[in-house]
Amino acid sequence: MRSKKGALVWILVLVLSLITVTFTGAKALYETKPVPAKERHDISEIIHQSSKWEKVATGSGFMEGINFDRKGNIWLVSPTTGEILTIKGDKVEKVLGDKDKLMPIGAKFHKDGRLFITDGKGELYSYNPATGERKTIVNSYDGKPLNGLNDLVFDETGGLYFTEPMGSSATHPTGRVFYLPPGKTEAILFSENIAYPNGIAISANGQRVYISEFDKNQILSVPSVNAANSPESPFIFARFEGGIGPDGLAVDAEGNLYVAHFQAGEVVVVDANGFKYGTIRLPEDAGTFATNLAFHDGYLYVTESSKNEVWRIQVKMKGLQPYGLN
């Protein structure tokens, strides 16, 4: 009897301890904060009053996947022409292209100098600007070919998240997101049942992965592979009005999320708690196909893919340093 009673007491103490730990964690996460007396934000916190859009270059195809190498050169891709592109002065130049074999949609630099590309034909591959070599990294999961891929982002360890939207929609939410651990060749299923997962980014603290659920006009937040233990679960981080849906994403050093709102002709800025600063609307002579974003030297760069133009605007915030430039 005594041993059973002692065991029961021990189990009760353990359960109470676990409840206390969980409650403490939940309290830290969901702790109430003062309700602001005024509007939470204004877009003037993000851009200078004098900031004006500047056109950087005009190309062809369907330009997106913008990012910068260590020398400050702009790199892009075009899925409709199967090209990897770069900008020289104000001219867009082809680096590699084969529309019969390639459909590059997203691009990010690895810190070793290779450009990693997600392809609409279901392949993740790398391109080495120094040698011109293109190498397949991943093209299957669980023994089956991947569907068309869209966007990607490296975490601070060199692990890679990438989206697989092709074949999914608002009425058929079968899109998936995968994670490729550093140095591995087999991807892990990270999240699924998403209505066209498009752009993807990691929060400034590395705890969340932001996923553009394009066909539901919203952003999902999912705890990252390396997130600390927490009661936080996947949730809808932000919703939008008009346009079609969120495309490319970028994060600044303060943790704010910048969203290329496709068919709306604007960039929406959201703080780390999901509250909107407002929108930065593209100029009147630009198109409405805002697709991808990148920070560089005090500017936010945007690809607009109906007219195939790159625009930039000066911002007050510094972009989060991407893994490829570390």
Side-chain angles (χ1 to χ4, degrees), residues 154 186 219 314:
F154 285 102
E186 295 290 332
I219 302 290
Q314 192 173 21

Side-chain angles (χ1 to χ4, degrees), residues 3 52 63 68-69 82 88 97 122 129-131 150 183 192 196 217 243 278 298:
S3 60
K52 302 293 182 183
M63 297 193 313
F68 290 81
D69 65 18
K88 301 292 185 183
T131 64
N150 190 286
E192 58 185 334
Y196 207 96
N217 215 1

Side-chain angles (χ1 to χ4, degrees), residues 21-195:
V21 170
T22 302
F23 177 76
T24 302
K27 183 180 179 182
L29 181 67
Y30 299 115
E31 186 175 359
T32 188
K33 298 176 183 179
V35 176
K38 301 178 181 179
E39 290 296 324
R40 285 185 171 86
H41 294 301
D42 186 86
I43 201 64
S44 62
E45 298 173 66
I46 301 297
I47 59 173
H48 301 275
Q49 188 174 3
S50 59
S51 293
K52 302 293 182 183
W53 284 103
E54 304 170 14
K55 188 185 294 187
V56 177
T58 302
S60 60
F62 193 91
M63 297 193 313
E64 54 179 320
I66 186 169
N67 62 134
F68 290 81
D69 65 18
R70 291 186 182 278
K71 296 179 180 179
N73 299 311
I74 299 175
W75 290 75
L76 309 142
V77 295
S78 170
T80 59
T81 57
E83 295 174 328
I84 300 172
L85 307 163
T86 189
I87 295 178
K88 301 292 185 183
D90 61 351
K91 304 295 183 183
V92 179
E93 297 183 1
K94 182 175 77 171
V95 176
L96 180 71
D98 186 343
K99 65 180 181 180
D100 293 327
K101 294 182 180 180
L102 305 178
M103 192 186 290
I105 300 178
K108 290 289 188 300
F109 274 102
H110 190 281
K111 67 179 182 180
D112 66 11
R114 290 179 296 163
L115 186 64
F116 277 61
I117 295 169
T118 39
D119 197 279
K121 295 186 177 181
E123 184 180 352
L124 171 69
Y125 52 85
S126 64
Y127 171 74
N128 190 329
T131 64
E133 179 187 18
R134 187 179 76 86
K135 181 180 180 181
T136 298
I137 305 297
V138 174
N139 59 11
S140 65
Y141 170 71
D142 197 24
K144 298 178 181 179
L146 290 169
N147 295 320
L149 308 182
N150 190 286
D151 205 358
L152 68 165
V153 66
F154 285 102
D155 66 17
E156 63 181 5
T157 70
L160 181 66
Y161 296 90
F162 60 93
T163 60
E164 183 205 49
M166 301 308 181
S168 65
S169 68
T171 57
H172 187 63
T174 58
R176 301 182 292 185
V177 177
F178 293 93
Y179 180 72
L180 182 65
K184 302 295 183 181
T185 57
E186 295 290 332
I188 298 168
L189 181 61
F190 174 71
S191 190
E192 58 185 334
N193 302 320
I194 303 171

Side-chain angles (χ1 to χ4, degrees), residues 150-153 162-165 168 175-177 193-202 209-222 235-238 240 244-250 257-262 268 290-293:
N150 190 286
D151 205 358
L152 68 165
V153 66
F162 60 93
T163 60
E164 183 205 49
S168 65
R176 301 182 292 185
V177 177
N193 302 320
I194 303 171
Y196 207 96
N198 197 322
I200 191 164
I202 300 173
V209 177
Y210 297 124
I211 303 166
S212 293
E213 191 169 24
F214 185 74
D215 282 358
K216 288 190 177 179
N217 215 1
Q218 62 189 18
I219 302 290
L220 304 177
S221 172
V222 181
F235 68 98
I236 297 171
F237 179 75
F240 307 99
I244 295 180
D247 197 332
L249 305 175
L257 181 67
Y258 296 66
V259 182
H261 197 188
F262 188 80
V268 185
T291 52
N292 282 122
L293 309 167

Side-chain angles (χ1 to χ4, degrees), residues 3-18:
S3 60
K4 289 183 179 179
K5 185 176 180 180
L8 182 62
V9 170
W10 184 86
I11 291 171
L12 182 61
V13 170
L14 178 62
V15 170
L16 289 174
S17 298
L18 290 173

